[in-house]
Amino acid sequence: MMRQGAGMTSARTRDRLIGRLREQGVRDEEVLAALASIPRHVFVDEALATRAYEDTALPIGHGQTISQPYIVARMTAALRASGPLAQVLEIGTGSGYQAAVLAKLAGHLYTVERVGGLVRAARQRFQALRLGNISVRHGDGCEGWPEEAPFDAIIVTAAARAVPTALFGQLKEGGRLVVPVGGEVQELLLYRRRGTAMAFERLGPVNFVPLLPGGIV
C-alpha cells in the first residue's frame, strides 16, 4: 500500500526539487512535469522518506540504489530528444522510480529487473499509482525484451563494462539508447541507430551500480 506522509508529500516539497533541476540545466518541461507528478518517497524505505526529495541517490536494498533525480531527468530528456516515445525498454527496474517517470511520457514502458524482490515491490508501487502502461519482467536485462522489440528508446540504469549487443538489435531505426558505461570510472553514453551503424556521444561522468547478468530470487 502506498504510504501517506506528512510534509514530504507536499507539492511545495516537490516544487523545490523541480526548481533545483531547472537550476542545473534541465529544460524539458514535460520531463519536469513527469518528475513533479511522481511521489518519490513511496519508492524508498520509510526510514529514508524524509530524504526522498533531495537530489541524491538513495539505497533501496539488494545492493541497489534509486537514481539521483537530476540523472533521471537528464537520461529521460536525452531519450525524448528524438521524438515521441511509443515503446520504451528499461534495463534495471530497481525501485521503479525511473520507470514511473518514463510511463508518464511513453505509450508503453517495458522494464526488466534481475532481482525478484525488487520486481515484486515495483509491481505493487505501479499498481498503487495506477500506472497501467508498464510491463515488468523478472530476468536478465542483458537480453533485453526481444518479443516486444523494436523500441523507440532503451534506457539502462546500471553501468555496463560493454553495452550488451542484444540491446542494439532491439532499437528501431533512429532509436536512442542511453547507458552508463565503465567500471570505477563511468560515463553516460547516448547511442543513435542509423541503419546498421550506431553513432554515439558522451553526456558526462556518472556513478551507477554495475550491470550484472542473470536473475536472482
Side-chain angles (χ1 to χ4, degrees), residues 55 67-76 98 188 205-206 208:
D55 187 25
S67 292
Q68 177 187 0
Y70 171 70
I71 295 297
V72 171
R74 193 170 179 210
M75 293 175 76
T76 303
Q98 172 73 80
L188 191 63
V206 288
F208 281 82

Side-chain angles (χ1 to χ4, degrees), residues 11-76:
R12 184 171 56 189
T13 302
R14 295 189 212 175
D15 286 347
R16 282 198 294 267
L17 172 61
I18 300 306
R20 289 194 293 272
L21 297 181
R22 283 199 180 96
E23 290 171 1
Q24 292 180 81
V26 179
R27 296 288 177 260
D28 189 322
E29 289 298 323
E30 291 190 45
V31 170
L32 291 171
L35 268 81
S37 72
I38 298 298
R40 191 173 185 247
H41 64 279
V42 307
F43 292 89
V44 299
D45 186 90
E46 196 162 3
L48 294 170
T50 56
R51 299 187 59 198
Y53 298 99
E54 297 176 9
D55 187 25
T56 187
L58 295 169
I60 58 171
H62 304 277
Q64 306 298 304
T65 60
I66 182 173
S67 292
Q68 177 187 0
Y70 171 70
I71 295 297
V72 171
R74 193 170 179 210
M75 293 175 76
T76 303

Side-chain angles (χ1 to χ4, degrees), residues 89-154:
L89 173 64
E90 177 192 43
I91 305 303
T93 313
S95 69
Y97 178 63
Q98 172 73 80
V101 171
L102 278 167
K104 294 286 186 176
L105 301 163
H108 200 94
L109 188 282
Y110 297 86
T111 181
V112 184
E113 171 57 53
R114 68 186 296 269
V115 181
L118 293 177
V119 169
R120 292 186 288 274
R123 282 182 174 143
Q124 291 174 354
R125 290 170 181 139
F126 299 151
Q127 183 176 13
L129 292 170
R130 300 178 185 272
L131 296 172
N133 63 331
I134 302 179
S135 298
V136 187
R137 169 179 280 185
H138 178 207
D140 187 346
C142 296
E143 298 175 358
W145 200 321
E147 299 90 341
E148 300 297 340
F151 298 97
D152 298 291
I154 299 175

Side-chain angles (χ1 to χ4, degrees), residues 123-202:
R123 282 182 174 143
Q124 291 174 354
R125 290 170 181 139
F126 299 151
Q127 183 176 13
L129 292 170
R130 300 178 185 272
L131 296 172
N133 63 331
I134 302 179
S135 298
V136 187
R137 169 179 280 185
H138 178 207
D140 187 346
C142 296
E143 298 175 358
W145 200 321
E147 299 90 341
E148 300 297 340
F151 298 97
D152 298 291
I154 299 175
I155 185 169
V156 183
T157 62
R161 291 282 184 174
V163 182
T165 56
L167 301 183
F168 289 134
Q170 292 175 33
L171 270 182
K172 287 183 179 178
E173 170 65 24
R176 291 183 162 214
L177 165 64
V178 175
V179 54
V181 176
E184 291 186 8
V185 178
Q186 303 170 9
E187 61 180 339
L188 191 63
L189 301 182
L190 168 62
Y191 289 87
R192 298 181 184 86
R193 182 168 184 173
R194 297 288 184 265
T196 58
M198 295 294 298
F200 77 93
E201 64 179 278
R202 294 179 169 88

